[in-house]
């Protein structure tokens, strides 16, 4: 038995939240309700303008690993943080949740720890300003090879595939995991990221044991006329392909076998983290030996829970929801 059931590699981002009236947003020059990438000076100005801040480790893979930790799995999260206050907060907060963070904060780093500054309006609208900082500089030299070899499942975040060092790190990590008898998988993360690196993503898919993406990401990857054609191409290169389609259910392809998992339509309050928690539920199923249909149902239950409230992590016990659905 390996030490870690699931280990994730992704952008190590801390979510920093504050409440602010619309007038305050306007004074800071924040566009309400959208996600904006910001540079370091803008990051520091916005961070200084936040009062009564609350912080929580975030990032796509970070949210998935937190979901898996809450489900009781042995987990690790790999990313890059600086030796600063927010970086140490991230490491300590994950440790408090029982999640290992095996990469030490970088001393004398040129860039600070990455953060997403989230301004919540009285009407519940979230205005996100993301500074990628040091997390986007992750490369092969940052990989804790012993941890990767000691992981049953390795899950990679497509957002980190945006620079050449990240691409090299993913290929090396996947091969290390698979050579040690583990399974390596990927989240496509974002159709715009796929568009920027289409040929490299296609090559990476062929290195994976499983890939999770939504219908827009798969369409961007293969540029076919229909989703079915895109999934056919994916299944020809990857043993296990998962496609989410919001309220239209989930399709799981394993070779020539196709499994459709229906979902119950829910009016979402906040879709932030839906894909991350679907991955958590699905990976829980894989890690604990469930069949693919059950794993897909677990993913849908976890995603449905998180869209009923604000925030990217579950409020209810997802294990209890699995039990109520007869999946445990």
């Amino acid at each position: 038995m390996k030490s870690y059931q699931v280990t994730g590699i992704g952008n190590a981002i801390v979510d920093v939240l504050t409440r602010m009236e619309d007038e305050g947003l306007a004074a800071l020059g924040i566009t309400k309700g959208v996600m904006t990438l910001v540079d370091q000076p803008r990051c520091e100005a916005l961070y200084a303008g936040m009062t009564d801040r609350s912080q929580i480790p975030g990032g796509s893979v970070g949210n998935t690993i937190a979901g898996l930790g809450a489900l009781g799995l042995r987990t690790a999260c790999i990313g890059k943080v600086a030796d600063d206050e927010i970086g140490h907060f991230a490491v300590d907060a994950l440790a408090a949740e029982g999640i290992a963070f095996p990469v030490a904060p970088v001393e004398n780093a040129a860039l600070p720890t990455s953060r997403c500054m989230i301004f919540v309006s009285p009407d519940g609208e979230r205005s996100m300003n993301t500074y990628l900082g040091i997390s986007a500089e992750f490369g092969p030299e940052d990989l804790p090879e012993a941890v990767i070899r000691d992981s049953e499942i390795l899950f990679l975040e497509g957002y980190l595939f945006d620079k050449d060092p990240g691409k090299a790190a993913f290929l090396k990590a996947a091969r290390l995991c698979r050579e040690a008898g583990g399974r390596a998988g990927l989240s496509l993360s974002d159709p715009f990221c796929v568009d920027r690196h289409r040929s490299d993503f296609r090559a990476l898919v062929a290195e994976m044991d499983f890939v999770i993406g939504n219908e827009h990401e798969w369409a961007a990857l293969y540029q076919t006329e229909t989703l079915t054609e895109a999934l056919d191409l994916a299944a020809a290169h990857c043993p296990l392909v998962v496609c989410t389609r919001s309220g239209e259910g989930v399709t799981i392809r394993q070779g020539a076998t196709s499994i459709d998992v229906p979902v119950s339509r829910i009016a979402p309050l906040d879709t932030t983290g839906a894909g991350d928690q679907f991955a958590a539920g699905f990976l829980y199923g894989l890690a604990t030996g469930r069949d693919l249909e059950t794993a897909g149902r677990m993913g849908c239950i976890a995603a449905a829970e998180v869209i009923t409230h604000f925030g990217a992590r579950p409020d209810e016990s997802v294990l209890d929801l699995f039990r109520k659905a007869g999946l445990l």
Side-chain angles (χ1 to χ4, degrees):
M1 184 173 65
K2 294 180 182 287
S3 298
Y4 305 101
Q5 290 168 284
V6 183
T7 292
I9 303 180
N11 282 314
I13 297 176
V14 173
D15 290 340
V16 186
L17 298 94
T18 191
R19 296 189 176 276
M20 185 169 287
E21 301 285 342
D22 289 356
E23 293 80 5
L25 297 179
L28 287 173
I30 294 171
T31 302
K32 183 179 177 180
V34 302
M35 195 287 284
T36 305
L37 288 175
V38 299
D39 59 16
Q40 186 174 351
R42 176 67 170 159
C43 166
E44 292 173 351
L46 291 178
Y47 188 72
M50 302 178 87
T51 58
D52 298 321
R53 295 185 292 252
S54 62
Q55 299 181 157
I56 186 171
S60 179
V61 151
N63 290 331
T64 296
I65 296 299
L68 287 163
L71 287 166
L73 296 196
R74 304 183 307 278
T75 58
C77 193
I78 296 171
K80 197 166 188 174
V81 299
D83 182 21
D84 55 21
E85 181 181 351
I86 291 185
H88 284 283
F89 164 81
V91 174
D92 293 343
L94 289 170
E97 296 180 68
I99 300 167
F101 192 90
V103 180
V106 179
E107 296 181 1
N108 302 313
L111 297 172
T113 298
S114 309
R115 68 203 71 173
C116 179
M117 290 152 291
I118 304 170
F119 296 82
V120 183
S121 303
D123 60 3
E125 192 76 68
R126 296 156 67 90
S127 308
M128 295 182 285
N129 296 262
T130 303
Y131 171 62
L132 293 178
I134 197 172
S135 70
E137 304 303 313
F138 191 93
E141 69 281 0
D142 299 306
L143 293 171
E145 296 186 13
V147 172
I148 292 167
R149 291 192 182 96
D150 204 15
S151 301
E152 296 173 11
I153 295 175
L154 179 69
F155 190 49
L156 307 172
E157 176 189 311
Y159 286 120
L160 195 55
F161 201 63
D162 222 20
K163 292 186 177 182
D164 288 342
K167 294 176 184 179
F170 274 15
L171 288 170
K172 182 178 179 180
R175 290 167 183 170
L176 285 171
C177 179
R178 298 179 77 184
E179 287 168 2
R183 291 179 285 179
L186 169 72
S187 166
L188 292 177
S189 293
D190 184 272
F192 300 107
C193 191
V194 171
D195 281 335
R196 290 193 295 273
H197 307 284
R198 185 172 293 107
S199 62
D200 287 335
F201 263 113
R202 288 182 181 178
L204 184 62
V205 165
E207 296 274 349
M208 296 292 110
D209 294 295
F210 65 92
V211 180
I212 300 173
N214 64 35
E215 57 187 319
H216 306 295
E217 292 155 2
W218 286 117
L221 184 60
Y222 290 108
Q223 297 182 297
T224 53
E225 291 187 5
T226 68
L227 179 60
T228 299
E229 291 176 295
L231 297 182
D232 286 343
L233 288 171
H237 295 98
C238 180
L240 180 59
V241 172
V242 182
C243 177
T244 60
R245 293 174 293 150
S246 298
E248 301 302 320
V250 175
T251 297
I252 302 171
R253 291 285 305 272
Q254 188 175 46
T257 301
S258 182
I259 300 168
D260 290 315
V261 181
V263 298
S264 300
R265 288 184 173 273
I266 298 173
L269 181 63
D270 177 14
T271 59
T272 305
D276 303 338
Q277 294 310 320
F278 172 85
F282 183 79
L283 292 178
Y284 178 85
L286 282 189
T288 56
R290 266 65 180 187
D291 61 77
L292 292 178
E293 182 176 358
T294 300
R297 290 179 63 193
M298 287 175 163
C300 292
I301 288 170
E305 193 286 334
V306 83
I307 66 175
T308 62
H309 57 80
F310 287 108
R313 298 186 181 187
D315 279 351
E316 291 187 63
S317 166
V318 177
L319 275 179
D320 285 348
L321 296 177
F322 291 167
R323 293 188 186 98
K324 290 176 184 177
L327 302 181
L328 295 180

